[in-house]
């Protein structure tokens, strides 16, 4: 619920209430838009009594306040901070005016409240119709030039989500340069906080990192042209005492797949500022008179019931108000992917024989991964030539799809549309279509280059090649991969002064392509991938409802990867596969059961040479597939609880739970990450059950009340050996 009114001092107070939170701002006497409060829901009323105007020496005093020496942009809490007019902190927007000055001083103009949530043309965004969401627009204008900033707030009340983005509009009569255009600014006047960020590398994404906020700036971000494996564009600011169950937590989820910055500054007055948006490094957007720039959106959420509740807010909102299409809420098919089974060394007959075995075990979809097109027997060639290699397959794509379907399975296929091999017909014909800098040799990564998706002609060519393939056979699934990052950011199609726009234009081009492709093939399940989870972000999830979470399929490693992912993203977005043991990334040996429990905690698949499995292993897979079909709905739509942390060095095991919102069913999984001698017993307390109801565990005869399972807990089974995992299906008796 959004409201605004003028108080007795002619200040306009804007209040946003969600189910459990309140966000308040005020446009003050001078027209400055100040931030008042974001936190647990409080009753209506002007909270701006709390605003303090500290007046430290060496902070600039705003000329508009004349004799108020303590009125400084450097210290008062702001809603949209700008560089150059007195604020020395990290800021949200920096404009280079046509006269060369770098300054912007914003003043309130007007506002509007509308029903339903805004959308952003050309960019992904959470959505919500008028029954569930509202929009607040607040327009600010520079005190000197006709440069406007329209701040938009989208409110999805029931999930405690407040989204923000800004439109910068140049009506100044001259060209300006946007040198920094972030999406949000949040100033918190007091409190001691920790940051929780998620970092990593290829095959080791979203490692959990909690740090105390100390004086200075702490930032994470990406300059890789993708949201990246290295840092997630989801981050948390929480009180020192925040746990899974208690404490104050703010979440920031960037709905964008390219370069980003999340920065926290703890400054001289012990205030904390958080900004997030497109990374200003290598960014400079030229706005001619009359042009506008739309920033991507940040989805914020607040919980005063700890990190678990914060995550569940995001899980629900992403599932219901970000993901789209036929598969948004539908159970995803169990699949087999041939990548770790064969890599690029396969024939059509081999794939069909894998499909025959997989189908008998109940698996529903066969995915043909990399290596089916152009000249592609190694990763040194072929990208860009999206022409079926019929010699390798021994038949046409349509015939292969029919052969797979005859085994009883659906058929899916892999693409990497954004990249190009120098050894490809496409590169020989259009070397200028790759992003490379003039007069310099290209920077190669996995021996490939990146296509210039900022260019419409390049996108159109690739889109048409994909459409041709997808229309040539009965295809139910597409894995969209991106296997390198972008360093030589230079487009031949744009003039020198516009090269600072290319990173962003690339992402806009990617989104344009994804929108066209996914709307043309509404029945296809699209899965996003970038060397595993290198682009696990809300931007991609708007087009594709699931992501190949990591190229690391080792269940022990996956425990940490899926744990980190769960803070910002729901299980229905996490594709997870059973692969061979010893594992291909780590060499670790684990049981089929352990691998199955990890895969069933996401969208289940198998990724190995099923023809080589023993009969006993095949029975194990068929049992897992049957269980996945039974549990997938609970895993997709249930409430997720992290019962323990795999980072807790004092505990050898990790444990998590999916429970239906009404408490009628739960599935709890544990995994032992270390083996210890003389092991002490392990217990966990189950969450989210109905206290008075009676439950059974794994169909046993004994029954337990929900209260006993929640408050007294359960004993985890004690098994011998390494990396064992058990699961506990808790159903109403
Ligand atoms: C990436 C993906 C893998 C596989 C290979 C194919 O690494 O993450 O799953 O598709 O590319 O080259």
């Amino acid at each position: 619920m959004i409201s605004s009114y003028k108080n007795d001092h002619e200040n306009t107070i804007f209040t946003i209430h969600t189910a459990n939170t309140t966000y308040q701002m005020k446009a003050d006497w001078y027209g400055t838009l100040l931030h008042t409060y974001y936190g647990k829901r409080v009753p209506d009323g002007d909270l701006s009594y709390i605003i303090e105007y500290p007046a430290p020496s060496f902070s600039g005093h705003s000329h508009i306040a004349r004799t108020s020496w303590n009125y400084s942009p450097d210290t008062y809490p702001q809603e949209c901070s700008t560089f150059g007019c007195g604020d020395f902190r990290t800021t949200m927007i920096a404009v280079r005016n046509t006269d060369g000055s770098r300054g912007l001083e914003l003043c309130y103009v007007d506002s509007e409240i509308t029903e339903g949530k805004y959308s952003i043309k050309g960019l992904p965004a959470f959505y919500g119709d008028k029954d569930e969401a509202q929009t607040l627009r607040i327009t600010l204008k520079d005190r000197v030039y006709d440069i406007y900033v329209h701040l938009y707030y989208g409110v999805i009340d029931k999930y405690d989500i407040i989204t923000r983005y800004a439109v910068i509009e140049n009506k100044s009569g001259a060209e300006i340069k946007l040198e920094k255009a972030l999406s949000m600014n949040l100033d918190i006047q007091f409190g001691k906080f920790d940051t929780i960020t998620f970092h990593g590398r290829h095959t080791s994404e979203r490692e959990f990192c909690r740090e105390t906020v100390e004086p200075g700036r702490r930032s994470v971000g990406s300059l890789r042209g993708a949201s990246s494996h290295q840092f997630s564009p989801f981050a948390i600011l929480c009180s020192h005492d925040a746990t899974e169950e208690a404490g104050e937590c703010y979440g920031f989820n960037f709905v964008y797949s390219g370069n980003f910055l999340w920065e926290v500054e703890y400054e001289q007055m012990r205030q904390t500022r958080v900004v997030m948006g497109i990374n200003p490094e290598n960014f400079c957007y030229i706005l001619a008179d009359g042009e506008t720039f739309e920033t991507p959106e940040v989805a914020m959420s607040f919980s005063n019931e700890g990190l678990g509740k914060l995550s569940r807010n995001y899980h629900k909102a992403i599932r219901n108000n970000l993901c789209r299409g036929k598969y948004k809420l539908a159970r995803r098919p169990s699949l087999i992917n041939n990548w770790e089974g064969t890599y690029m060394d396969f024939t059509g007959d081999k794939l069909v024989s894998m499909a025959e075995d997989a189908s008998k075990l109940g698996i529903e979809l066969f995915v043909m991964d990399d290596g089916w097109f152009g000249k592609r027997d190694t990763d040194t060639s072929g990208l860009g030539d999206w022409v079926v290699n019929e010699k390798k397959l021994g038949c046409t794509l349509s015939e292969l799809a029919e052969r797979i379907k005859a085994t009883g399975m659906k058929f899916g296929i892999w693409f990497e549309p954004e990249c190009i091999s120098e050894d490809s017909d496409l590169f020989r014909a259009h070397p200028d279509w790759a992003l490379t800098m003039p007069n310099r040799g290209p920077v190669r990564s996995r021996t490939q280059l990146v296509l210039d998706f900022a260019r419409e002609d390049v996108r159109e060519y690739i889109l048409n090649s994909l459409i041709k393939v997808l229309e040539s056979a009965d295809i139910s699934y597409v894995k969209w991969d991106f296997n390198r990052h972008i360093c030589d950011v230079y487009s031949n199609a744009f003039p020198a002064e516009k090269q600072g726009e290319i990173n962003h234009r690339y992402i806009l081009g990617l989104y344009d392509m994804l929108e066209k492709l996914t709307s043309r093939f509404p029945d296809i399940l699209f899965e996003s991938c970038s060397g595993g989870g290198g682009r696990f972000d809300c931007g991609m999830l708007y087009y594709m409802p699931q992501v190949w979470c990591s190229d690391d399929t080792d269940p022990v490693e996956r425990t940490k990867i899926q744990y980190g992912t769960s803070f910002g993203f729901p299980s229905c977005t996490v594709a997870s596969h059973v692969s061979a043991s010893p594992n291909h990334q780590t060499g670790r040996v684990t049981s089929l059961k352990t691998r199955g429990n990890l895969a069933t905690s996401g969208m289940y698949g198998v990724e190995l040479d099923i023809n080589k499995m023993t009969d006993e292993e095949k029975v194990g897979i068929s049992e897992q597939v049957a269980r996945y079909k039974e549990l997938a709905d609970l895993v997709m739509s249930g409430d997720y609880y992290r019962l323990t942390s795999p980072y807790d060095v004092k505990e050898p095991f990790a444990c998590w739970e999916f429970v239906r919102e009404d408490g009628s069913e739960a599935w709890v999984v544990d995994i032992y990450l270390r083996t210890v001698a003389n092991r002490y017993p392990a217990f966990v307390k189950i969450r989210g059950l109905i206290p008075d109801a009676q439950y059974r565990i794994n169909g046993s005869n004994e029954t337990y009340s929900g209260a006993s399972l929640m408050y007294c807990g359960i004993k985890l089974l004690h098994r011998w050996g390494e990396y064992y995992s058990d699961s506990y299906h808790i159903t109403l008796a």
Side-chain angles (χ1 to χ4, degrees):
M1 234 258 303
I2 307 172
S3 63
S4 77
Y5 70 96
K6 273 209 165 131
N7 70 9
D8 298 344
H9 309 284
E10 291 294 296
N11 295 171
T12 311
I13 307 291
F14 300 94
T15 307
I16 299 172
H17 290 303
T18 67
N20 303 293
T21 70
T22 296
Y23 189 104
Q24 197 178 82
M25 304 158 257
K26 112 167 165 175
D28 72 7
W29 173 258
Y30 302 109
T32 307
L33 189 63
L34 300 174
H35 178 78
T36 310
Y37 173 71
Y38 185 26
K40 184 176 164 63
R41 186 168 173 148
V42 293
D44 279 338
D46 181 356
L47 301 166
S48 64
Y49 68 87
I50 196 71
I51 293 179
E52 177 63 57
Y53 299 90
S57 320
F58 289 89
S59 284
H61 311 301
S62 187
H63 67 98
I64 49 161
R66 295 171 207 280
T67 51
S68 296
W69 302 123
N70 56 352
Y71 193 76
S72 172
D74 199 25
T75 56
Y76 53 58
Q78 298 182 59
E79 204 48 37
C80 178
S81 56
T82 55
F83 181 90
C85 293
D87 196 340
F88 292 106
R89 297 173 281 185
T90 186
T91 48
M92 177 172 151
I93 297 177
V95 168
R96 178 81 59 190
N97 296 292
T98 195
D99 56 18
S101 64
R102 198 177 196 238
L104 190 72
E105 198 179 6
L106 296 170
C107 177
Y108 176 66
V109 177
D110 65 8
S111 67
E112 187 187 18
I113 297 167
T114 47
E115 298 306 310
K117 184 181 171 292
Y118 65 78
S119 56
I120 316 175
K121 198 168 170 284
L123 280 166
F126 282 77
Y127 54 84
D129 63 26
K130 54 182 171 31
D131 302 329
E132 57 179 351
Q134 281 185 302
T135 295
L136 166 65
R137 173 189 54 78
I138 300 179
T139 292
L140 311 172
K141 182 191 157 296
D142 182 46
R143 292 188 194 275
V144 179
Y145 297 114
D146 283 351
I147 300 169
Y148 292 81
V149 177
H150 309 280
L151 300 176
Y152 283 86
Y153 300 79
V155 182
I156 305 174
D157 176 80
K158 62 185 166 201
Y159 303 138
D160 292 326
I161 295 284
I162 298 177
T163 64
R164 286 191 61 174
Y165 91 106
V167 179
I168 299 151
E169 186 180 15
N170 178 17
K171 289 182 169 177
S172 69
E175 184 179 282
I176 59 168
K177 283 187 186 135
L178 275 181
E179 294 182 340
K180 193 175 188 187
L182 304 190
S183 304
M184 57 140 307
N185 179 108
L186 178 68
D187 280 355
I188 306 173
Q189 287 195 118
F190 65 99
K192 294 206 163 35
F193 296 104
D194 289 352
T195 58
I196 297 179
T197 54
F198 303 92
H199 66 102
R201 57 192 187 280
H202 177 228
T203 67
S204 191
E205 298 89 339
R206 289 170 295 287
E207 289 184 34
F208 177 90
C209 175
R210 184 167 180 165
E211 287 184 331
T212 305
V213 174
E214 300 283 2
R217 293 181 188 177
R218 152 105 173 113
S219 68
V220 295
S222 166
L223 290 169
R224 296 171 167 267
S227 48
S228 89
H229 308 81
Q230 283 70 14
F231 288 105
S232 170
F234 171 69
I236 297 170
L237 184 79
C238 62
S239 52
H240 278 332
D241 58 357
T243 63
E244 283 294 330
E245 301 288 323
E248 298 189 334
C249 321
Y250 298 90
F252 305 87
N253 218 338
F254 198 26
V255 189
Y256 192 65
S257 312
N259 291 353
F260 76 94
L261 173 73
W262 183 73
E263 189 161 52
V264 175
E265 181 167 343
Y266 187 56
E267 44 83 290
Q268 55 178 339
M269 293 289 112
R270 301 188 172 195
Q271 305 185 82
T272 304
R273 169 170 288 179
V274 183
V275 293
M276 191 175 211
I278 294 177
N279 200 315
E281 173 97 35
N282 201 29
F283 172 89
C284 179
Y285 224 90
I286 295 178
L287 278 193
D289 182 40
E291 286 185 342
T292 56
F293 180 84
E294 287 85 24
T295 74
E297 154 178 294
V298 173
M300 302 187 296
S301 189
F302 172 83
S303 150
N304 77 318
E305 294 168 54
L307 298 160
K309 172 74 166 50
L310 185 79
S311 295
R312 289 187 289 281
N313 290 345
Y314 282 111
H315 294 174
K316 288 174 186 154
I318 290 172
R319 197 159 59 221
N320 295 301
N321 294 76
L322 180 71
C323 293
R324 300 178 299 167
K326 182 175 160 180
Y327 282 97
K328 164 180 158 171
L329 300 174
R331 180 176 73 73
R332 316 286 161 69
S334 51
L335 65 82
I336 178 161
N337 176 307
N338 71 305
W339 179 244
E340 285 198 21
T342 65
Y343 296 100
M344 292 186 205
D345 184 14
F346 59 84
T347 61
D349 285 346
K350 172 65 184 170
L351 301 183
V352 172
S353 119
M354 288 171 80
E356 277 164 354
D357 275 2
S359 176
K360 284 184 205 137
L361 308 182
I363 299 177
E364 297 150 294
L365 167 72
F366 184 90
V367 179
M368 175 169 67
D369 210 280
D370 195 355
W372 56 266
F373 54 91
K375 182 185 146 202
R376 186 72 173 170
D377 290 323
T378 67
D379 59 12
T380 56
S381 60
L383 288 175
D385 297 341
W386 299 108
V387 179
V388 181
N389 184 345
E390 294 181 358
K391 203 165 152 227
K392 182 167 181 173
L393 298 185
C395 59
T396 66
L397 189 68
S398 168
E399 284 161 353
L400 180 68
E402 292 312 312
R403 289 179 70 194
I404 301 276
K405 276 171 59 195
T407 70
M409 302 184 92
K410 292 182 169 176
F411 178 62
I413 195 167
W414 176 98
F415 285 103
E416 191 178 352
E418 297 158 75
C419 287
I420 183 165
S421 306
E422 287 162 279
D423 184 2
S424 69
D425 292 342
L426 187 66
F427 187 79
R428 283 181 278 275
H430 298 284
D432 59 323
W433 281 13
L435 289 167
T436 52
M437 290 195 206
N439 307 318
R440 290 178 203 278
V443 180
R444 299 184 182 92
S445 181
R446 207 194 187 196
T447 63
Q448 63 199 53
L449 308 182
V450 182
L451 280 167
D452 183 356
F453 264 37
R455 282 174 71 155
E456 202 174 341
D457 55 346
V458 174
R459 297 201 302 270
E460 200 180 306
Y461 174 86
I462 294 293
L463 181 64
N464 287 334
S465 337
L466 302 193
I467 290 173
K468 213 166 148 197
V469 174
L470 293 176
E471 286 183 343
S472 74
D474 191 354
I475 293 171
S476 308
Y477 162 106
V478 164
K479 177 173 167 188
W480 178 296
D481 210 340
F482 180 57
N483 276 319
R484 66 158 287 177
H485 289 147
I486 309 174
C487 8
D488 10 10
V489 188
Y490 185 92
S491 169
N492 288 301
F494 289 84
E497 64 275 15
K498 289 215 159 250
Q499 295 301 325
E501 302 179 8
I502 299 308
N503 266 134
H504 182 56
R505 285 184 180 274
Y506 178 96
I507 297 293
L508 291 177
L510 170 65
Y511 290 153
D512 171 59
M513 174 107 155
L514 294 179
E515 185 65 42
K516 287 180 178 146
L517 190 69
T518 53
S519 49
R520 182 159 181 145
F521 297 99
D523 291 330
I524 289 183
L525 168 59
F526 285 88
E527 178 169 311
S528 169
C529 174
S530 173
R535 235 172 13 191
F536 207 128
D537 57 66
C538 284
M540 294 309 282
L541 289 172
Y542 181 70
Y543 302 97
M544 308 185 181
Q546 62 186 49
V547 185
W548 177 225
C549 187
S550 178
D551 271 348
D552 189 347
T553 52
D554 174 334
V556 176
E557 301 261 294
R558 268 287 181 135
T559 298
K560 283 190 173 171
I561 297 170
Q562 293 182 191
Y563 171 84
T565 306
S566 78
F567 280 84
F569 305 95
S571 304
C572 62
T573 63
V574 173
S576 194
H577 297 172
V578 172
S579 64
S581 177
N583 179 267
H584 288 197
Q585 291 79 43
T586 61
R588 196 190 321 261
V589 175
T590 54
S591 71
L592 190 60
K593 186 175 173 192
T594 296
R595 284 172 274 154
N597 281 348
L598 259 292
T600 311
S601 298
M603 301 297 95
Y604 180 94
V606 172
E607 185 161 335
L608 41 69
D609 188 349
I610 202 155
N611 298 145
K612 291 188 182 146
M613 291 190 107
T614 63
D615 287 347
E616 194 189 337
E617 286 171 328
K618 284 182 180 166
V619 171
I621 292 284
S622 71
E623 286 168 1
Q624 287 179 7
V625 173
R627 189 182 57 168
Y628 167 70
K629 290 175 185 170
E630 184 192 353
L631 292 175
D633 183 59
L634 171 61
V635 169
M636 286 184 72
S637 62
D639 281 349
Y640 184 80
Y641 286 84
R642 292 175 290 267
L643 299 181
T644 70
S645 163
Y647 289 86
D648 183 349
V649 288
K650 294 190 190 119
E651 289 296 352
F653 68 94
C655 195
W656 56 94
E657 176 191 359
F658 305 90
V659 57
R660 288 209 187 273
E661 221 174 339
D662 65 5
S664 61
E665 184 187 9
W667 189 55
V668 177
V669 184
D670 69 25
I671 174 171
Y672 271 77
L673 303 168
R674 281 182 289 121
T675 307
V676 287
N678 197 8
R679 213 198 71 175
Y680 48 84
F683 307 89
V684 287
K685 291 178 178 172
I686 308 303
R687 309 281 179 206
L689 301 178
I690 309 161
D692 298 338
Q694 290 292 315
Y695 294 89
R696 290 184 206 286
I697 302 179
N698 290 336
S700 71
N701 289 333
E702 271 144 278
T703 64
Y704 310 85
S705 72
S708 352
L709 298 178
M710 288 195 292
Y711 312 131
C712 181
I714 63 168
K715 271 190 304 202
L716 300 181
L717 292 168
H718 187 165
R719 297 194 198 274
W720 177 253
E722 216 165 20
Y723 311 125
Y724 55 82
S725 167
D726 277 297
S727 73
Y728 309 81
H729 191 193
I730 301 173
T731 48
L732 284 173

